[in-house]
Amino acid sequence: MNVVTCAKGRADCCKAPKSAQMGMSIWGLPAGDRRRKSLANKGLIDYIGSHDGGCRTKGGGGAMFSWQLDDELALLFLQPDMASELFRLCQRNRDYLSQWLPWVPHIQQPADSATFIRHSIEKFARGEGLTTAIEYQGEVVGVIGYNQIDQDLGKVTIGYWLAERWQGHGIITRACQALIHHAFEEMGMEKVEISAALENEPSRAVCERLGMQQEGITRRAERLADRVVDHVHYGLLRDEWLRLRDL
């Protein structure tokens, strides 16, 4: 996925915004002993429309559960009524996103986005992932989340994409900071992973600014619209993150 880096130093990139740190627990993700808690037990779905300070309305519609990271950036739990908006965003950025994302050609109508959202909610309820829309200055500009939550190994995999127009604002870096902080502090995870195409320099730069270590390359890892790409894998362990955070 094409993203841009922030101008902050590596240590700063390991710290979540203060407002994000304060609001971590509202997601209902497992904390403490991860083997005894599941997302379904205290899931975000139970909070929608009922959690004080976490829900708001968008465009006069129903309640929307949001995680406010700072004054201009928030993460919104994907809901079925967001399908048309998400589809339009994909449609406007189809050529741009297709450079690095294999699923773009399969999104041909709002119903396809609705299917994606439904699957994301089901995955969340099983405790296997969390997918959110990225809202920047009141506009949905992309998607980020935990593509995989592995309770047995104590690790999460972060994935994301951002519309071309909003590159250059540090959006992905800030959102990753919050998700990394949440994974270690609230979920009790031991590792965070991100993978990117070998040629995707902007996304790789984000991983490096977050203090992640390059762990290896998988050759012929993914087929895109016009080629097969290799993947480079980055990881960040809890003790590494703690050291960087405290710098």
Side-chain angles (χ1 to χ4, degrees), residues 6-245:
C6 67
K8 296 181 180 180
R10 179 169 291 183
D12 287 342
C13 284
C14 292
K15 298 178 181 178
K18 183 176 294 184
S19 60
Q21 295 177 31
M22 295 173 61
M24 295 291 184
S25 62
I26 65 175
W27 287 101
L29 294 168
D33 185 350
R34 61 180 178 271
R35 296 182 184 275
R36 295 179 56 193
K37 295 188 178 184
S38 70
L39 299 177
N41 288 341
K42 191 184 178 186
L44 182 57
I45 297 172
D46 296 332
Y47 280 97
I48 295 175
S50 64
H51 188 274
D52 292 340
C55 297
R56 57 187 174 80
T57 59
K58 182 179 177 67
M64 175 176 292
F65 194 88
S66 68
W67 177 10
Q68 195 72 37
L69 303 187
D70 55 40
D71 290 342
E72 57 185 7
L73 186 63
L75 303 183
L76 313 178
F77 185 72
L78 286 180
Q79 299 181 59
D81 61 4
M82 298 174 67
S84 294
E85 183 177 17
L86 198 61
F87 172 75
R88 289 192 297 270
L89 185 64
C90 291
Q91 188 75 352
R92 290 194 299 269
N93 292 270
R94 183 170 296 276
D95 292 341
Y96 178 72
L97 296 175
S98 294
Q99 296 178 80
W100 304 113
L101 300 172
W103 49 263
V104 177
H106 304 291
I107 304 299
Q108 296 295 328
Q109 55 187 336
D112 297 326
S113 294
T115 298
F116 165 72
I117 292 173
R118 184 178 71 254
H119 290 167
S120 297
I121 294 173
E122 292 170 351
K123 191 173 184 179
F124 173 82
R126 294 193 302 268
E128 298 173 356
L130 169 69
T131 307
T132 70
I134 304 170
E135 185 184 65
Y136 181 70
Q137 297 181 350
E139 181 176 343
V140 172
V141 299
V143 169
I144 192 169
Y146 301 128
N147 286 353
Q148 181 182 23
I149 298 174
D150 190 322
Q151 303 286 358
D152 289 334
L153 295 178
K155 68 179 183 178
V156 297
T157 301
I158 293 177
Y160 45 77
W161 60 267
L162 185 69
E164 182 176 15
R165 174 187 174 190
W166 299 107
Q167 303 291 325
H169 298 274
I171 293 171
I172 292 298
T173 299
R174 280 183 276 171
C176 282
Q177 289 170 7
L179 289 182
I180 290 171
H181 186 283
H182 188 278
F184 288 131
E185 289 292 314
E186 300 295 330
M187 297 173 66
M189 293 287 119
E190 297 296 331
K191 184 181 182 183
V192 174
E193 296 179 335
I194 297 177
S195 295
L198 184 62
E199 300 87 356
N200 190 344
E201 295 293 342
S203 193
R204 294 182 60 182
V206 166
C207 297
E208 291 163 7
R209 289 180 182 273
L210 290 167
M212 306 185 83
Q213 301 297 312
Q214 181 176 328
E215 297 184 332
I217 294 173
T218 301
R219 294 176 294 178
R220 294 189 64 84
E222 186 173 56
R223 176 172 293 281
L224 301 178
D226 58 350
R227 67 198 190 283
V228 174
V229 297
D230 299 339
H231 275 185
V232 57
H233 307 287
Y234 289 88
L236 183 65
L237 299 176
R238 171 187 290 276
D239 59 346
E240 296 169 342
W241 175 74
L242 289 172
R243 288 196 300 269
L244 291 169
R245 185 196 63 178

